[in-house]
Amino acid sequence: MLCVISTDGPYAWLTPIYHVFEMMRAHVGNDALLTNVDSADLSGGGGDTGSLPQVSASASLEPDGGSAVICVTNRHISESISCRLTCAGRPAASATATVLSADAPNVYNDASHSDRVTPKPHDAAVDGGEVRVDLPPHSVALVRVELQ
């Protein structure tokens, strides 16, 4: 069963799903931005002839118009990927990132390890108006960008 908070007797802890919802909450109240992702495709697996991009993204512009929020997911189970993020016509002045990841895709939080999978600050660099962020395998990142 998927839930945002798990319990066991007197113990309660936040699940990785909770953290993803909390990260995506950064889009609430913002204006959605069209995203264009140029990424390698993952195998469809199981005889499926379709493909799935390794990277997915969503972006929004905050009401002040001076900053954007970009959520980026690396779907690959074992490979990291370096991403370049741009906001068309608006170069980045600075950026910060938070990433949710673990050593393996099946790692979870429980009563004994309630913070095994939690968002952590992550490196994001601005170079020539682009944001560069390296995503570990099976990760979700929230990138906040101050625009020029």
Side-chain angles (χ1 to χ4, degrees), residues 7-134:
T7 61
D8 182 15
Y11 304 102
W13 59 93
L14 303 175
T15 68
I17 293 168
Y18 168 88
H19 294 300
V20 171
F21 274 96
E22 182 65 22
M23 292 168 76
M24 296 301 162
R25 198 168 66 109
H27 287 304
V28 174
N30 294 355
D31 293 326
L33 296 174
L34 178 66
T35 58
N36 181 16
V37 177
D38 183 12
S39 167
D41 284 337
L42 299 173
S43 166
D48 185 1
T49 58
S51 62
L52 180 70
Q54 179 177 345
V55 174
S56 67
S58 61
S60 63
L61 185 66
E62 293 187 343
D64 64 8
S67 54
V69 175
I70 305 170
C71 291
V72 188
T73 301
N74 178 4
R75 294 178 171 133
H76 202 286
I77 198 163
S78 61
E79 293 181 13
S80 61
I81 190 164
S82 183
C83 297
R84 293 180 304 151
L85 311 174
T86 60
C87 293
R90 300 284 305 273
S94 64
T96 59
T98 304
V99 70
L100 181 69
S101 185
D103 294 336
N106 60 347
V107 173
Y108 55 91
N109 296 337
D110 59 25
S112 299
H113 303 94
S114 61
D115 61 354
R116 188 172 15 207
V117 184
T118 59
K120 294 180 177 42
H122 194 71
D123 291 335
V126 175
D127 181 21
E130 288 184 335
V131 177
R132 295 178 183 263
V133 61
D134 294 329

